[in-house]
Amino acid sequence: MKFLNKRFSVLWSGIVSKGFFLAGLALSASAVSAQTTSFESCVKGLRKSVVSQGIQGEVFDRAMQGVEPDPDVLKAFSFQPEFRTAIWDYLAGLVDQERVDDGRDKLKEWSKVLDVAEQKYGVDRNVIVAVWGVESNYGRIQGKRDILRSLTTLICADKRQAFFRGELLATLRILQSGDIPPELLVGSWAGAFGQTQFMPTTYQRLAVDFDGDGRRDIVGSVPDALGSTANFLKRAGWVTGQPWGVEVKLPANYSGPSGRRTKQSLEQWKSLGIAPVKVTAKNVQVTNMSNLPGTTQAALLLPAGAKGPAFLVFRNFDAIFSYNAAESYALAIAHLSDRMRGSGMFQTAWPTDDPGTSRAERRQIQQALLDRGYDIGEVDGLIGAKSRAAISAFQQSKGITVNGRAGQQVLKALR
Ligand code: CA
């Protein structure tokens, strides 16, 4: 779920969170006490404000009992990742065979619920399941931070006050309605929670009770999570029956328009020499561009420039994009949904001599480093600060380029 233009889903924060603990905050005793006083008076002020907006005082008091600022949340807020993830690393971890296979299992397991969701909202079931798979690894990773505590910390530290105040009010409304019990209101540090990783205000607007038990429970109920995701995408402008996009081939030395916002008709793109990639037995494409009307509006997406994979994307790509405002994210969902439907990998390779690794391969890298005596923390397939430091040390010892990346070259060198 998006928070402004940054990605704060638990999967992402899981990747970067290990870095947060490196910079310890050293505060003097008097500074701590001054902070506590201002936190307490801030909470008092919040009580007054939310009670005036319809929250019962006792709901607030029960929810806020013993709440303390969470220093990790402030560190996370001001954390600027020094390590920019390349698009091929990002996609290799999010769209690996494991997540494709898991997704196919889930499609079978929840087929009846997905039948109803597709019928009611008109959204492709593969995309619904792909969002679920990327947001919370099919409900397995929903985050562990107390949302009320995180939001109160951010508000009282004066971080984007108006935004987080709205989220806090929405969270208290969830508690007051009894939709989700307080102990289950945990999530990412910025407040996204549940199997769909909705922010509380998004939950208020778009979560649905899809299993009919009277509660909108996107934490404990898979049908509620799938229905809510479908509802989100429908409200974001999903066009029933239209694909998200298709991989294309550019003419040599293409230097024409590109970018998600530059839209023109398929016919116009074709006139610039842009054609669908060739379908081979190995590279099945689930979307046939020639089935679409020439008037279909499309944008040309070049995530790694003209030398990498290219895509013509349609309205539904924008619907996915609105779930979490990042093109790499939308492409991950889109590609995962295609792969679940039987599509192959992208036909054009990423412009790198060191492609990304799957989570299984990342676990192999971590295990091999552990076996060699490097401290990587847990073997979990998430490449955090410790894993990156160990990879850098290993690269240095082997005299290969030091970049801390868990790519194919490091995997090969470790084997
Ligand atoms: Ca329900």
Side-chain angles (χ1 to χ4, degrees):
M1 194 67 243
K2 70 176 169 180
F3 158 61
L4 305 183
N5 61 345
K6 285 186 175 177
R7 163 137 192 88
F8 291 138
S9 104
V10 279
L11 288 180
W12 178 250
S13 58
I15 293 164
V16 294
S17 67
K18 287 175 186 167
F20 301 157
F21 302 99
L22 293 179
L25 269 184
L27 291 172
S28 69
S30 62
V32 169
S33 131
Q35 280 202 338
T36 310
T37 315
S38 77
F39 186 78
E40 276 168 12
S41 61
C42 169
V43 172
K44 268 186 201 155
L46 282 174
R47 186 183 195 279
K48 211 173 158 186
S49 154
V50 298
V51 165
S52 77
Q53 292 174 87
I55 299 296
Q56 293 155 17
E58 60 187 41
V59 167
F60 182 89
D61 295 339
R62 214 180 311 131
M64 290 294 194
Q65 201 175 21
V67 71
E68 280 173 12
D70 182 346
D72 291 340
V73 167
L74 291 179
K75 279 182 228 166
F77 186 86
S78 46
F79 181 75
Q80 295 294 327
E82 80 292 350
F83 186 86
R84 242 186 90 85
T85 309
I87 177 87
W88 45 87
D89 282 337
Y90 178 77
L91 284 171
L94 282 180
V95 190
D96 57 12
Q97 198 56 46
E98 207 176 330
R99 212 180 303 269
V100 174
D101 293 342
D102 282 352
R104 286 184 181 150
D105 288 346
K106 297 295 176 191
L107 281 165
K108 276 189 208 134
E109 189 182 348
W110 298 99
S111 65
K112 284 188 183 140
V113 171
L114 291 162
D115 284 344
V116 184
E118 254 183 358
Q119 202 175 14
K120 181 161 185 191
Y121 301 106
V123 177
D124 178 352
R125 66 181 63 210
N126 298 282
V127 174
I128 301 171
V129 172
V131 170
W132 186 28
V134 167
E135 286 295 336
S136 67
N137 198 17
Y138 308 105
R140 293 186 194 108
I141 305 174
Q142 301 192 29
K144 289 180 180 153
R145 287 193 186 281
D146 179 332
I147 291 175
L148 277 175
R149 185 185 180 196
S150 299
L151 293 172
T152 309
T153 301
L154 290 163
I155 294 164
C156 294
D158 221 17
K159 307 292 185 195
R160 295 195 193 276
Q161 279 257 11
F163 176 83
F164 289 117
R165 273 171 178 267
E167 297 299 335
L168 181 75
L169 184 63
T171 308
L172 290 163
R173 286 197 172 126
I174 296 171
L175 286 175
Q176 187 158 290
S177 71
D179 275 327
I180 298 171
E183 66 273 15
L184 294 183
L185 269 182
V186 292
S188 77
W189 63 265
F193 72 99
Q195 311 209 19
T196 59
Q197 291 291 294
F198 278 1
M199 290 298 284
T201 50
T202 307
Y203 169 94
Q204 287 292 4
R205 278 191 301 122
L206 299 171
V208 296
D209 171 23
F210 211 59
D211 60 11
D213 72 345
R215 295 190 305 125
R216 301 187 291 162
D217 181 5
I218 58 167
V219 177
S221 163
V222 171
D224 285 7
L226 296 177
S228 299
T229 299
N231 186 38
F232 183 107
L233 291 169
K234 186 193 175 201
R235 295 276 288 272
W238 187 271
V239 181
T240 305
Q242 201 176 77
W244 63 269
V246 61
E247 188 183 354
V248 293
K249 204 169 159 40
L250 301 178
N253 305 317
Y254 177 79
S255 61
S258 66
R260 192 176 58 87
R261 295 205 167 129
T262 307
K263 308 230 160 142
Q264 47 185 6
S265 71
L266 266 181
E267 261 160 21
Q268 283 170 300
W269 289 115
K270 280 181 192 162
S271 74
L272 294 175
I274 291 165
V277 287
K278 283 223 172 62
V279 178
T280 66
K282 207 177 156 195
N283 272 306
V284 181
Q285 294 287 313
V286 291
T287 300
N288 187 348
M289 205 166 104
S290 57
N291 290 345
L292 293 162
T295 51
T296 310
Q297 288 293 300
L300 177 65
L301 208 67
L302 304 174
K307 290 205 169 113
F311 308 90
L312 280 179
V313 298
F314 312 115
R315 183 65 192 83
N316 288 342
F317 187 84
D318 294 325
I320 303 171
F321 178 89
S322 71
Y323 207 101
N324 184 351
E327 284 169 12
S328 50
Y329 169 89
L331 190 59
I333 303 282
H335 186 45
L336 179 58
S337 71
D338 274 2
R339 292 281 298 280
M340 290 193 295
R341 290 199 290 162
S343 178
M345 311 248 220
F346 298 139
Q347 291 210 18
T348 304
W350 293 109
T352 174
D353 59 358
D354 188 10
T357 46
S358 66
R359 285 170 298 162
E361 288 168 331
R362 287 174 193 182
R363 291 194 291 268
Q364 283 174 29
I365 289 171
Q366 289 176 319
Q367 188 59 54
L369 287 166
L370 207 59
D371 293 346
R372 285 165 197 250
Y374 292 98
D375 174 20
I376 55 101
E378 232 180 293
V379 176
D380 54 9
L382 299 173
I383 303 300
K386 275 187 170 177
S387 293
R388 286 201 294 274
I391 291 166
S392 294
F394 170 75
Q395 288 170 323
Q396 192 147 32
S397 77
K398 289 282 162 191
I400 52 183
T401 312
V402 177
N403 56 19
R405 267 191 62 232
Q408 290 292 342
Q409 287 184 1
V410 159
L411 178 62
K412 211 169 143 194
L414 280 164
R415 270 172 181 166

